[in-house]
Amino acid sequence: ETGVTQTPRHLVMGMTNKKSLKCEQHLGHNAMYWYKQSAKKPLELMFVYNFKEQTENNSVPSRFSPECPNSSHLFLHLHTLQPEDSALYLCASSQDSSNTGELFFGEGSRLTVL
Amino acid sequence: GQQVMQIPQYQHVQEGEDFTTYCNSSTTLSNIQWYKQRPGGHPVFLIQLVKSGEVKKQKRLTFQFGEAKKNSSLHITATQTTDVGTYFCAANSGYSTLTFGKGTMLLVSP
């Protein structure tokens, strides 16, 4: 059981579709993150939100659009994706974004782009 | 940007054998964290090391932070099949973003 919940767990979409990934944390944390995990690559940080404000955008293509309406919820809106965007997308949270605390990960959303 | 090199990429051991994974950086690190990801699962935090030369133990797992704070290791004594998974180190220096290593995949045969 994790304090960070991600939906959907699996998603298959075409390159012209628009879909969204959702993340919710029940830990009272102030920072939330999106990571991309591809085979044979390190975990790639995509976005960081601290107290609902985006503090980092790690040169992510504009076809990925994050949204953080409050400290407990984080979305990743997807549109016109490419097959190479197929990966496991992990949401994480931490007390804050100071890099001194542990990250709590959700179970991930496995995305396949056809 | 900062890079964290982790070796080996993969190790297959017999149950009862020991296992070690290493994490190296060319820059001095502020702290280093270790995570475990079971097959099909998500990364789970194991420990954080902050001090130069720090050694911490969790049952059969021993974590070390180098004296120069540029490397770290995770050692598992007498592996069990429940130790199967990928072990990641993650580190940062100063105000840089936490950077993950590629991970070491551990397979344990009974």
Side-chain angles (χ1 to χ4, degrees):
Chain A
E1 189 67 33
T2 175
V4 180
T5 305
Q6 288 186 242
T7 55
R9 295 290 310 279
H10 300 274
L11 178 63
V12 179
M13 58 188 288
M15 290 190 286
T16 58
N17 291 158
K18 288 185 180 181
K19 297 286 183 183
S20 296
L21 307 181
K22 179 183 175 182
C23 178
E24 183 175 358
Q25 58 98 358
H26 315 278
L27 301 169
H29 288 163
N30 296 307
M32 296 188 76
Y33 311 76
W34 280 116
Y35 281 88
K36 176 183 178 182
Q37 187 173 40
S38 307
K40 299 182 181 179
K41 285 187 177 181
L43 274 163
E44 298 173 60
L45 177 64
M46 300 175 73
F47 302 104
V48 181
Y49 278 82
N50 199 33
F51 293 92
K52 301 188 301 177
E53 298 297 321
Q54 187 179 126
T55 57
E56 186 143 355
N57 176 339
N58 213 20
S59 302
V60 180
S62 59
R63 57 185 184 270
F64 295 91
S65 174
E67 178 189 358
C68 188
N70 55 61
S71 292
S72 299
H73 293 85
L74 185 64
F75 296 88
L76 188 62
H77 303 299
L78 316 169
H79 64 98
T80 59
L81 294 192
Q82 304 298 313
E84 60 264 29
D85 297 323
S86 298
L88 180 68
Y89 288 85
L90 290 159
C91 174
S93 71
S94 64
Q95 188 59 49
D96 56 49
S97 62
S98 65
N99 290 323
T100 58
E102 66 181 276
L103 294 174
F104 291 79
F105 285 88
E107 296 182 339
S109 294
R110 173 73 60 185
L111 173 66
T112 302
V113 182
L114 302 176
Chain B
Q2 175 185 286
Q3 285 194 328
V4 174
M5 306 304 294
Q6 195 172 350
I7 56 171
Q9 287 188 30
Y10 172 83
Q11 187 151 10
H12 185 180
V13 301
Q14 292 293 124
E15 192 171 22
E17 292 180 337
D18 292 355
F19 160 78
T20 305
T21 173
Y22 300 90
C23 195
N24 298 294
S25 171
S26 58
T27 59
T28 302
L29 303 171
S30 300
N31 63 71
I32 193 159
Q33 300 176 359
W34 286 92
Y35 291 80
K36 176 184 178 180
Q37 185 173 16
R38 294 182 187 275
H42 58 281
V44 175
F45 176 82
L46 294 176
I47 209 159
Q48 176 168 274
L49 305 172
V50 179
K51 298 177 183 177
S52 167
E54 190 170 14
V55 178
K56 287 189 177 180
K57 292 190 176 185
Q58 290 179 351
K59 298 182 180 178
R60 294 177 295 102
L61 277 60
T62 301
F63 303 84
Q64 289 189 309
F65 203 4
E67 293 289 341
K69 298 184 74 174
K70 290 185 176 182
N71 56 75
S72 180
S73 64
L74 158 58
H75 179 83
I76 302 179
T77 303
T79 54
Q80 300 175 358
T81 54
T82 53
D83 295 325
V84 164
T86 301
Y87 293 84
F88 294 95
C89 62
N92 65 65
S93 55
Y95 293 99
S96 68
T97 305
L98 194 66
T99 301
F100 279 80
K102 285 189 175 183
T104 296
M105 183 184 295
L106 172 64
L107 182 61
V108 181
S109 294

